């Protein structure tokens, strides 16, 4: 199963909105076939593994990271009939599929065909791989990761706005890999005006697929020459509000940007509405790379599922340096947001703290 999970990880980002899946066929303690789902619309992991195993699949064991599909409402044939026809004797499954069209039905169909089915092996690791898919299926919105790069004292920029580069090359390389696996990246207009980032994945893009770039811009202050609007490396969506002008929207659409007008509250875009719209568009994973106020609003409105905090071994100090999270501080320590399932790792000289809010 460890091999099946490792294979599944290769498809992260490329299969969305479908889940990443890996499969391995074992016969006589030897791997006779393996595969992973490479892209949405392409052959599923089980089919690839069984195809490579050929006649050697008869009487073998199939290890698969997610419950095989059994419905017809998709671009590829269901996997359960192919598994039954292959002649495998046993199927070991890591995670059950949360999709109501599959949930438990794949296991039932395999058992009715006389196969031995063992679910739940490696389920914890498998669940981590499919979190974006599970979130989209069960809640209709993307799984949201908030990424912050700060000094040890929590500053993301100097008083004059300088932020490049707080963290080192190893951390920045990992961030580009995160971008490559995300369906979309979101920043606020303040980040565009201050840094003019391109928001592309320079390394780790999943099979050449670039994430959707989203800019939160309530009044459409974005310059028409901004990097996110130039070239066609990646699509760009500008989320705005009714307070923006029709002329400005038309100008952005003319140069290829997708302009999405959303209802506002106190001049701000509501995360709940934005996430619902992104989910409707099939966005399963969203990476927030915003400034202090975007970070604060996302946390305050409960939009964030996971936090990635890159800490550089340096300190800025001062009340006027920009903190990682803006807005108003709670009056009580008990009101602080508490991360769960926290892990810590080194990224060159920097430290990455990862944790979940749900």
């Amino acid at each position: 199963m460890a091999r099946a999970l490792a294979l599944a990880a290769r498809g992260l980002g490329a299969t969305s909105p479908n889940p990443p899946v890996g499969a391995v066929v074992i016969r006589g303690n030897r791997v006779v076939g393996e595969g992973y789902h490479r892209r949405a619309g392409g052959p599923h992991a089980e089919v690839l593994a069984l195809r490579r195993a050929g006649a050697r699949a008869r009487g073998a064991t199939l290890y698969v990271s997610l419950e095989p599909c059994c419905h017809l409402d998709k671009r590829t044939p269901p996997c359960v009939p192919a598994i039954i026809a292959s002649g495998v004797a046993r199927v070991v499954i890591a995670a059950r599929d949360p999709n109501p069209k599959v949930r438990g039905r794949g296991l039932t169909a395999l058992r009715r065909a006389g196969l031995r089915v063992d679910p739940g092996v490696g389920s914890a690791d498998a669940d981590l791989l499919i979190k974006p898919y599970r979130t989209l299926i069960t809640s209709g919105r993307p799984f949201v990761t908030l990424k912050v790069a700060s000094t040890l004292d929590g500053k993301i920029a100097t008083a004059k706005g300088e932020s490049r580069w707080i963290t080192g090359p190893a951390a920045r390389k990992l961030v580009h890999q995160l971008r490559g696996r995300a369906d979309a990246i979101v920043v606020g207009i303040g980040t565009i005006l201050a840094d003019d980032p391109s928001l592309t994945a320079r390394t780790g893009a999943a099979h050449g697929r670039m994430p959707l770039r989203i800019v939160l811009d309530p009044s459409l202050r974005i310059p028409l020459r901004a990097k996110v609007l130039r070239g066609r490396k990646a699509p760009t969506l500008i989320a705005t509000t009714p307070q923006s002008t029709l002329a400005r929207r038309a100008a952005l659409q003319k140069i290829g940007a997708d302009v999405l007008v959303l209802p506002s509250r106190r001049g701000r875009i509501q995360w709940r509405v934005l996430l619902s719209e992104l989910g409707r568009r099939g966005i399963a994973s969203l990476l927030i790379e915003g400034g202090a106020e975007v970070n604060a609003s996302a946390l305050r409105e409960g939009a964030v599922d996971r936090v990635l905090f890159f800490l550089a071994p340096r300190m800025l100090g001062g009340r006027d340096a920009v903190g990682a999270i803006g807005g108003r501080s709670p009056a009580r320590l008990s009101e602080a947001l508490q991360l769960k399932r926290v892990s810590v790792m080194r990224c060159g000289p920097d430290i990455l703290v990862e944790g979940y809010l749900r």
Side-chain angles (χ1 to χ4, degrees):
M1 186 58 75
R3 177 59 180 167
L5 292 168
L7 287 167
R10 294 183 184 180
L12 281 170
T15 63
S16 188
N18 298 333
V21 182
V24 179
V25 182
I26 301 288
R27 182 174 182 176
N29 295 322
R30 291 184 58 190
V31 174
V32 295
E34 62 181 30
Y36 69 96
H37 190 31
R38 294 174 178 267
R39 59 178 177 81
H44 286 193
E46 302 96 314
V47 171
L48 291 172
L50 292 170
R51 188 180 296 167
R52 286 168 184 158
R56 294 173 296 178
R58 189 158 298 276
T61 297
L62 171 66
Y63 289 82
V64 60
S65 62
L66 184 67
E67 179 181 0
C69 58
C70 54
H71 64 94
L72 299 173
D73 189 17
K74 53 193 179 63
R75 287 177 283 180
T76 54
C79 293
V80 166
I83 295 171
I84 295 171
S86 73
V88 298
R90 179 185 178 216
V91 182
V92 182
I93 298 166
R96 296 175 186 253
D97 195 325
N99 190 333
K101 297 175 182 177
V102 180
R103 192 168 52 208
R105 296 179 182 178
L107 279 70
T108 299
L110 292 171
R111 284 174 174 148
R112 283 178 177 170
L115 281 70
R116 176 182 169 185
V117 180
D118 296 315
V121 178
S123 60
D125 291 331
D127 282 337
L128 285 176
L129 284 174
I130 66 166
K131 269 191 174 295
Y133 169 71
R134 183 183 295 279
T135 302
L136 182 62
I137 287 292
T138 58
S139 69
R141 65 167 185 84
F143 178 82
V144 180
T145 298
L146 173 65
K147 188 275 297 183
V148 175
S150 80
T151 59
L152 281 179
D153 54 340
K155 307 298 184 182
I156 61 173
T158 66
K160 292 186 177 181
E162 183 183 354
S163 61
R164 295 186 176 179
W165 296 103
I166 286 177
T167 53
R172 296 199 297 274
K173 181 179 180 180
L174 180 53
V175 169
H176 279 281
Q177 292 172 350
L178 291 168
R179 286 181 179 180
R181 290 179 171 182
D183 290 340
I185 305 167
V186 63
V187 299
I189 183 59
T191 296
I192 297 295
L193 296 176
D195 300 331
D196 192 23
S198 61
L199 297 180
T200 53
R202 287 190 279 277
T203 59
H207 298 272
R209 182 201 64 118
M210 286 290 179
L212 172 68
R213 300 174 293 191
I214 303 172
V215 181
L216 306 182
D217 190 0
S219 57
L220 292 185
R221 293 186 291 150
I222 186 170
L224 297 181
R225 295 293 297 168
K227 288 180 181 177
V228 294
L229 298 176
R230 283 187 269 164
R232 292 294 179 265
K233 289 184 177 180
T236 299
L237 170 68
I238 312 296
T240 189
T241 66
Q243 70 190 61
S244 63
T245 66
L246 290 174
R248 191 64 174 168
R249 294 176 207 168
L252 289 166
Q253 290 168 335
K254 187 176 181 180
I255 61 176
D258 184 5
V259 179
L260 174 64
V261 182
L262 297 173
S264 64
R265 179 182 294 170
R266 298 174 184 172
R268 291 182 177 272
I269 294 166
Q270 299 174 62
W271 282 97
R272 176 183 55 81
V273 178
L274 174 64
L275 295 182
S276 178
E277 174 61 25
L278 294 179
R280 190 185 66 79
R281 296 182 179 212
I283 300 295
S285 58
L286 179 68
L287 180 63
I288 299 177
E289 292 198 51
E293 297 308 316
V294 168
N295 295 347
S297 67
L299 290 167
R300 182 175 61 249
E301 296 179 33
V304 179
D305 298 290
R306 178 176 67 156
V307 173
L308 298 176
F309 231 107
F310 292 87
L311 296 171
R314 57 175 71 183
M315 294 177 285
L316 275 175
R319 295 187 183 91
D320 51 354
V322 183
I325 302 171
R328 298 187 64 179
S329 176
R332 299 179 182 85
L333 189 59
S334 60
E335 298 176 53
L337 296 174
Q338 182 68 48
L339 296 180
K340 307 169 185 175
R341 304 188 299 282
V342 178
S343 62
V344 180
M345 65 174 283
R346 290 286 299 270
C347 289
D350 306 316
I351 297 170
L352 170 59
V353 179
E354 176 181 8
Y356 292 81
L357 288 168
R358 53 172 163 260

